[in-house]
Amino acid sequence: MRLTGAQMVLACLEAENVEVIFGFPGGAVLTLYDEIYKKGFKHILARHEQGAAHAADGYARASGKPGVVIATSGPGATNIVTGIATAYMDSVPLIAITGQVATPLIGSDAFQEADITGITLPITKNNYLVKDINELPFILKEAFHVANTGRKGPVLIDLPKDLQAQEGEFYYPETVEISSYKPVYEGHAGQIAKAADAIKKARRPLLYAGGGVISSGAHEELLQLSKMMSIPATLTMNGLGGVPYDYEYFLGMPGMHGTYAANNAINESDLLIAVGVRFDDRVTGKLEDFAPRAEIIHIDIDPAEIGKNISVQIPIVGDCKLVLKELLRRLQPVEKTNAKKWCANVLEWKTSKPLHYSQEPGDYLKPQFVIEEFYRLTEGNAIVATDVGQHQMWAVQYYRSQKPRTLISSGGLGTMGFGLPAAIGAQVAFPEKQVICFAGDGSFQMNSQELATAVHYNIPVKIAIINNKYLGMVRQWQELFYGSRYAHTSLDGSPDFVKLAEAYGAKGLRVAKAEETAATIKKALEIPGPVVIDFQVDPEENVLPMVPPGTSIVEMIGGE
Amino acid sequence: MERILAILVKDRSGVLTRVSGLFSRRGYNIQNIAVGRTVEPGVSRMTVTVDADPLTVEQIVKQLNKLIDVLKVSDLTDEPAVERELILVKVKAEPGRRSEIQQMADTFRAKIIDLSPDSMIIELTGSEQKLQAFLTMMQEFGIKEIACTGKISLLRGSKVTCDMKI
């Protein structure tokens, strides 16, 4: 079959069951967009390419399917760089297709030319500059394969303008064979047996699980392992929903803003079972003091994560779900008095030192209270997307995620401006679900133009701006570690968010008092379109507990 | 500690950037790199010398293996292997000192491959130490310029570093 490059791209997206493209047209993708037009392919027009990339990312995180973003050459391509880096750090499958100037012009500093494959080299799993139209079907197939297998991640295809119009022979391969890329899914049987033995012998075992559990769909196995062997569990931010927040043995997040119970359990544990995690510095604090009494089992699909930050005794390379299944097969429920005592201790920490704040009458509105009210009024069933900063930490501490793929947040890169477009992407994946975006007044303004996208397609996301009139997290660090010298963290000059929402044609609401919160949230949830609620909260509330950077995770400020 | 890695890569544009970029991005320092063809069409061999401790090298190897264009990585440091480097040295050579230089080149089994009224180019192959010793001797005459290939290495005996049927 003879097809043009542009037709090949569309045929490939159909073959891969892609439902929607997030993008922004421009000179070097005109031919591609003409084909999108002719096919009537579903496309969401963002208002900035970065928004399109984050929306594709949010779609992927919520649905588990690769997100697709299209941008033009030059500035269009460079505008999606932050989106690609965000997806790379959190191992999100993303296909980015960029236009490139016509082949004869490449390298001549042509109008809107940028070396986007060069630029994205360190932030993609792989990328391709298409030079021959006949290679395009194979590149497309390979791109989807690489993005969505092994440790998932973004892949970029740079497609010159002339090739989009050039005809070639199209045959979409059903399978792909890359000799140098063969992810290992099945864990090594001997290593799994070792792990099972260690679990049987352990007196103070602890599960420490993360994004790999969500990505491989291992949540049921994780919960089963925890229940069967009475092992308490802590989840990193990207692992939240891996076990239900309300599960008895769930201790909350570990690390910098983790719970006393989780951090203390890591410190006391004699066997840390790390599943789909990467021992990130925000989790471990001072590495030398992390889990000092524990033997460590590390299950991860990426061999390079094993031993990268911390040396482990029982490494298992493989898919979390398959490895946990195999591990469960080798274990029997046992009555262990030792384990009982350990669990009792851990649960005592959990109940005696929970996350806490107080909302007194007449006080400033507390951000934590706002999140809890959202949790209560949505009965924990919403998909939550967040921006980055204090509100993000409060959102993950107080919106008690019960299910996988319901918390969408930029963990690794910590990208401000991620929340709104990611929420839009999640809502596109699940039009019937309630999607809440928790944003900060700082973060929101980094991509507030995407309100237009939400209004344009009537994407009914509810945006809760936790407005403390500061870049709150930076201000908190300045207060605690820089003698309260608030260098450029005050956000004087921010717009009236209610008026801004209304200007876009969305609904705008405002809450400044605790007693108005519930009624306003209820009202917002009932509005069928996008809503912005400006929550004017305590400007100097801090996220607690907090482990100061570079110290051990048991040295917590406000942990008591 | 100095380690020598043999890296087989797909011969595609940008692959050298991918490999060298990975080293710099992760903070590993390349001391020396040589790239050339192999007997397999479409496959190139990079020989990279790095100064790193064993744990770091293990991480480098794992990260290299994640690159889609990298076919195989072998650490040759602890294997019985031959290492060679080729150097071209342009030295000042006034007519009166030519025979002296010629003698020294003979001692090192180096070859004079170009001659001009006041300079000559000498070609020498060998281990790093041998090349260094030769350069020290040539300094006396005045080195005008050098060009060096970087280290390449093959396992001794019939064993091969990289099985081509990957």
Side-chain angles (χ1 to χ4, degrees):
Chain A
M1 190 171 35
R2 302 287 290 176
L3 290 183
T4 65
Q7 288 168 334
M8 286 183 188
V9 171
L10 272 286
C12 153
L13 296 185
E14 278 173 359
E16 295 288 344
N17 298 314
V18 172
E19 295 169 332
V20 58
I21 298 165
F22 299 89
F24 200 100
V29 282
L30 273 164
T31 313
L32 194 51
Y33 268 81
D34 194 40
E35 209 49 45
I36 292 171
Y37 180 88
K38 286 182 195 156
K39 281 254 180 194
F41 205 99
K42 187 173 176 187
H43 177 277
I44 303 286
L45 172 70
R47 292 308 189 268
H48 185 294
E49 288 90 349
Q50 186 188 350
H54 290 324
D57 179 325
Y59 173 90
R61 292 186 203 228
S63 69
K65 297 193 281 185
V68 176
V69 54
I70 296 182
T72 192
S73 65
T78 56
N79 274 347
I80 64 170
V81 167
T82 301
I84 293 171
T86 304
Y88 184 73
M89 286 291 268
D90 289 344
S91 309
V92 177
L94 189 75
I95 302 289
I97 301 171
T98 49
Q100 181 54 280
V101 299
T103 315
L105 293 175
I106 292 178
S108 70
D109 302 323
F111 177 65
Q112 293 196 329
E113 181 184 1
D115 172 17
I116 197 64
T117 47
I119 290 168
T120 58
L121 214 64
I123 53 166
T124 49
K125 243 185 115 174
N126 202 16
N127 63 24
Y128 306 85
L129 169 60
V130 186
K131 288 180 171 167
D132 175 353
I133 189 66
N134 295 309
E135 283 182 359
L136 182 57
F138 299 95
I139 288 176
L140 289 164
K141 180 74 198 175
E142 198 173 298
F144 273 88
H145 175 68
V146 168
N148 206 29
T149 54
R151 177 177 183 173
K152 296 171 185 182
V155 174
L156 179 135
I157 301 164
D158 199 21
L159 185 57
K161 183 173 179 162
D162 52 333
L163 294 190
Q164 293 169 31
Q166 197 183 324
E167 272 195 358
E169 193 54 34
F170 182 74
Y171 156 76
Y172 197 61
E174 285 195 358
T175 54
V176 55
E177 179 71 19
I178 310 169
S179 58
S180 53
Y181 175 72
K182 296 214 160 46
V184 174
Y185 286 90
E186 304 279 350
H188 187 276
Q191 290 295 96
I192 296 177
K194 256 195 215 171
D197 278 345
I199 291 172
K200 283 179 205 160
K201 282 183 204 141
R203 287 155 172 266
R204 301 184 305 279
L206 179 71
L207 278 160
Y208 151 48
V213 167
I214 308 297
S215 170
S216 73
H219 47 282
E220 281 167 8
E221 288 76 9
L222 184 71
L223 185 62
Q224 206 186 330
L225 176 62
S226 169
K227 282 184 174 168
M228 183 165 126
M229 304 305 288
S230 304
I231 309 175
T234 175
L235 296 170
T236 68
M237 193 180 79
N238 279 343
L240 288 174
V243 300
Y245 205 106
D246 291 341
Y247 167 55
E248 186 192 359
Y249 284 166
F250 177 57
L251 307 180
M253 278 195 318
M256 186 171 273
H257 295 297
T259 61
Y260 173 84
N263 284 352
N264 217 36
I266 289 172
N267 196 50
E268 296 299 327
S269 164
D270 70 344
L271 179 69
L272 193 65
I273 309 157
V275 190
V277 291
R278 57 191 180 87
F279 297 86
D280 177 67
D281 57 84
R282 283 297 186 270
V283 166
T284 61
K286 191 178 172 193
L287 263 177
E288 299 75 44
D289 295 342
F290 183 74
R293 297 160 183 84
E295 187 178 27
I296 301 178
I297 300 171
H298 189 188
I299 303 167
D300 203 280
I301 197 154
D302 180 0
E305 282 307 331
I306 310 275
K308 185 183 83 178
N309 292 336
I310 203 161
S311 63
V312 298
Q313 289 71 41
I314 310 178
I316 306 174
V317 175
D319 175 75
C320 293
K321 188 183 176 81
L322 295 179
V323 172
L324 287 184
K325 263 195 175 159
E326 188 54 27
L327 198 54
L328 283 166
R329 208 177 59 73
R330 290 166 185 268
L331 292 166
Q332 287 86 39
V334 277
E335 276 296 310
K336 283 201 292 187
T337 40
N338 284 330
K340 266 196 179 157
K341 195 175 154 212
W342 163 243
C343 287
N345 276 345
V346 168
L347 293 182
E348 204 273 318
W349 298 332
K350 181 179 166 178
T351 45
S352 68
K353 296 185 178 179
L355 296 170
H356 61 89
Y357 69 94
S358 67
Q359 176 71 69
E360 304 297 338
D363 251 13
Y364 272 123
L365 177 60
K366 294 289 176 179
Q368 301 93 326
F369 175 73
V370 174
I371 312 276
E372 281 205 312
E373 286 295 272
F374 263 103
Y375 175 74
R376 189 172 65 82
L377 294 165
T378 56
E379 295 169 347
N381 289 322
I383 296 177
V384 167
T386 83
D387 267 308
V388 168
Q390 285 187 314
H391 71 277
Q392 176 191 32
M393 291 299 108
W394 288 316
V396 297
Q397 286 178 336
Y398 291 97
Y399 197 99
R400 309 162 68 87
S401 296
Q402 308 292 339
K403 290 183 191 144
R405 301 199 180 281
T406 59
L407 172 76
I408 293 163
S409 193
S410 168
L413 198 67
T415 308
M416 288 174 71
F418 174 78
L420 173 57
I424 288 173
Q427 186 81 78
V428 169
F430 294 103
E432 304 305 323
K433 286 199 176 174
Q434 192 73 253
V435 177
I436 315 283
C437 167
F438 290 113
D441 45 327
S443 283
F444 177 72
Q445 291 184 71
M446 283 206 180
N447 270 321
S448 60
Q449 79 286 345
E450 298 308 329
L451 266 179
T453 311
V455 170
H456 181 168
Y457 298 96
N458 194 29
I459 296 167
V461 291
K462 308 293 180 266
I463 304 140
I465 302 178
I466 305 299
N467 182 358
N468 56 10
K469 302 184 172 60
Y470 277 111
L471 295 171
M473 188 59 94
V474 185
R475 186 209 57 76
Q476 175 171 339
W477 283 54
Q478 288 170 338
E479 179 191 328
L480 297 174
F481 313 118
Y482 291 85
S484 294
R485 293 180 298 279
Y486 294 167
H488 305 280
T489 39
S490 159
L491 288 175
D492 287 342
S494 289
D496 178 326
F497 292 115
V498 173
K499 282 189 185 160
L500 184 74
E502 308 259 309
Y504 276 107
K507 183 75 190 159
L509 301 168
R510 178 167 291 126
V511 178
K513 290 186 186 134
E515 52 273 26
E516 298 164 355
T517 307
T520 312
I521 293 175
K522 266 188 217 158
K523 185 175 165 192
L525 293 177
E526 278 159 20
I527 294 170
V531 181
V532 174
I533 318 173
D534 177 19
F535 290 98
Q536 303 204 322
V537 301
D538 188 343
E540 301 209 4
E541 184 71 10
N542 284 341
V543 178
L544 295 172
M546 180 177 193
V547 176
T551 63
S552 153
I553 55 170
V554 284
E555 291 167 42
M556 308 177 79
I557 304 173
E560 49 297 314
Chain B
M1 182 194 171
E2 193 178 90
R3 314 288 301 186
I4 302 171
L5 303 177
I7 308 166
L8 282 201
V9 298
K10 286 181 195 163
D11 184 13
R12 284 194 185 158
S13 69
V15 65
L16 178 61
T17 319
R18 278 178 207 280
V19 171
S20 60
L22 187 143
F23 276 84
S24 63
R25 175 165 62 96
R26 299 233 172 227
Y28 316 136
N29 205 8
I30 296 181
Q31 288 187 325
N32 205 313
I33 186 165
V35 190
R37 60 182 188 172
T38 64
V39 287
E40 193 79 1
V43 177
S44 300
R45 181 183 179 114
M46 293 184 182
T47 310
V48 178
T49 313
V50 288
D51 186 17
D53 59 78
L55 268 179
T56 308
V57 171
E58 190 188 322
Q59 182 62 208
I60 293 174
V61 171
K62 283 174 172 175
Q63 293 293 346
L64 284 169
N65 274 319
K66 281 172 73 169
L67 297 177
I68 308 283
D69 288 340
V70 168
L71 298 163
K72 190 166 180 185
V73 187
S74 310
D75 185 346
L76 302 184
T77 320
D78 301 326
E79 305 280 335
V82 282
E83 293 160 21
R84 288 292 182 273
E85 226 170 318
L86 183 138
I87 197 168
L88 299 178
V89 191
K90 186 177 283 181
V91 285
K92 278 191 205 155
E94 284 99 38
R97 304 200 72 179
R98 278 186 199 156
S99 59
E100 211 180 327
I101 296 172
Q102 172 81 56
Q103 254 181 10
M104 229 167 259
D106 286 346
T107 313
F108 281 89
R109 297 181 202 285
K111 265 198 296 191
I112 291 158
I113 54 174
D114 185 62
L115 198 58
S116 72
D118 59 351
S119 75
M120 51 173 66
I121 298 177
I122 307 169
E123 171 196 325
L124 176 64
T125 307
S127 67
E128 206 181 335
Q129 293 93 317
K130 178 176 165 186
L131 301 191
Q132 195 48 56
F134 182 67
L135 285 177
T136 311
M137 297 312 292
M138 285 300 118
Q139 262 159 13
E140 183 194 331
F141 305 100
I143 297 172
K144 291 164 79 88
E145 197 175 12
I146 62 169
C148 191
T149 57
K151 200 176 286 177
I152 54 171
S153 176
L154 275 187
L155 288 178
R156 288 183 184 276
S158 61
K159 202 173 149 196
V160 294
T161 320
C162 305
D163 184 359
M164 285 301 173
K165 293 179 254 8
I166 308 153

